[in-house]
Amino acid sequence: VTYSQGEVTKCSAPRFNPAAGTYWGSVSVELRCNTDGAAMYYTVNDGGQQTYSAPIELTEAGTYIIKAHAEKAGIDNSDEVTATYVVSEPISCSSIDDYIFNAETESEGAMFEWNFPVTVVYTMPSYTYVRDENGDAMLIYGSEVPVYKSGDVIPAGIIGGFQNHSGLYEMIDVQVSSFGEVSSNGNGDPVVMTAGEIGVEDMNQVVYLDNVTLTWTPDEKYGDPENIKLTDASGSVNAYDQYRWELEYPESGTEIDLICAVAVYNSNLQVYPMQILDASESPDFGGVEGVVAGNTVVMTNADGVVVVAAEAAEVSVYTAAGQL
């Protein structure tokens, strides 16, 4: 195949990046041209013409109409192109509870800014579970969310939308650039609960269940677990297998320890299994090593030191200095 380019007689029109549209918070607009050596010129809202040399920063709320064209000596100027950008201010929220309140009262498509830090509790593919200083929890959904580890404190400023997905609250459409750099570590331990204690009000909390019996039936079509139930002396709770998380389930009837996230689907309470532990293993959360003595587990959560025992017992707690 023989290819030759014809004579270039006209500049290519500039292209806008990112594309025109509505943005929450500031946006930086780049102009690009395919004609080598061409100069680009632009106006904003029919103001004076400027030579393009750096991205156009749109920082204040408002509507911006950008018109641009390219020029190069010896050939015709490009066509003029136009792009409209709307910069809107996200709704400020002081806590996760305030975020939920605002999200349920605002119209669909609104964006929100968390003016408070959150601690990462657990991450799974496309799911980031966080908790605020009040102990309230939220799921940040999306594969574009930066990668964090349990205990990381994300500073204030996260911007994203809201979705009630069949009863499950999620932050969606996150603005990736709003995730600040982790500067400290917090308490990312799961909340210690029993199967019968879990309620709808615990939605998006990451929970540690100690010595629960796992029962399930195979999915005849896909071979995946279905009808999963977790049972202990306090009661039971249904579980849903997020197949993308690729957990391996032991035989039905096995006693396990489990880390899971509380979820709701069409008003039905359920949990998403995240990590399955042998009931004889010792969990290690945060700054306090999990200690197993028989069927007793000692760990920390948002409320302090928690002791889960097989039966009623007196417990003495000492500081590192030996004080009772």
Side-chain angles (χ1 to χ4, degrees), residues 257-280:
D257 292 348
L258 181 73
I259 297 175
C260 56
V262 181
V264 175
Y265 182 72
N266 291 334
S267 300
N268 296 316
L269 179 67
Q270 59 186 9
V271 297
Y272 298 154
M274 296 168 144
Q275 184 178 354
I276 298 172
L277 304 170
D278 186 278
S280 63

Side-chain angles (χ1 to χ4, degrees), residues 14 66 91 124 152 162 174 201 227 256 278 284 296 301 307:
I66 301 177
I91 298 167
M124 298 295 283
D152 283 347
F162 176 84
V174 294
E201 66 277 5
N227 298 324
I256 62 170
D278 186 278
D284 185 358
T296 302
N301 70 4
V307 180

Side-chain angles (χ1 to χ4, degrees), residues 90-259:
I91 298 167
S92 177
C93 303
S94 59
S95 66
I96 286 178
D97 186 61
D98 187 42
Y99 164 65
I100 295 172
F101 173 80
N102 280 291
E104 291 182 326
T105 56
E106 292 293 331
S107 60
E108 185 178 352
M111 295 288 278
F112 306 88
E113 181 175 11
W114 288 3
N115 291 320
F116 54 92
V118 291
T119 301
V120 176
V121 182
Y122 216 89
T123 61
M124 298 295 283
S126 297
Y127 289 68
T128 302
Y129 289 90
V130 298
R131 193 164 53 211
D132 66 12
E133 294 176 342
N134 300 321
D136 294 321
M138 183 53 58
L139 161 61
I140 304 177
Y141 179 79
S143 59
E144 68 275 22
V145 177
V147 177
Y148 295 102
K149 64 180 184 296
S150 298
D152 283 347
V153 177
I154 308 174
I158 296 175
I159 297 175
F162 176 84
Q163 175 176 256
N164 182 336
H165 181 66
S166 300
L168 181 65
Y169 294 166
E170 305 171 339
M171 172 176 267
I172 61 169
D173 299 331
V174 294
Q175 187 170 305
V176 176
S177 60
S178 68
F179 286 81
E181 186 175 343
V182 172
S183 58
S184 60
N185 294 316
N187 183 358
D189 295 349
V191 178
V192 179
M193 299 185 73
T194 62
E197 289 177 335
I198 298 174
V200 173
E201 66 277 5
D202 300 308
M203 182 193 305
N204 290 324
Q205 291 284 6
V206 176
V207 173
Y208 176 79
L209 298 177
D210 177 48
N211 289 331
V212 291
T213 300
L214 169 73
T215 56
W216 57 277
T217 57
D219 185 317
E220 294 181 1
K221 183 175 182 180
Y222 299 105
D224 298 324
E226 65 174 4
N227 298 324
I228 305 171
K229 182 168 287 190
L230 305 164
T231 306
D232 59 21
S234 69
S236 63
V237 62
N238 292 325
Y240 176 79
D241 175 50
Q242 293 280 7
Y243 67 92
R244 291 171 295 179
W245 296 354
E246 299 181 346
L247 263 65
E248 293 187 7
Y249 291 84
E251 292 183 2
S252 181
T254 302
E255 191 173 84
I256 62 170
D257 292 348
L258 181 73
I259 297 175

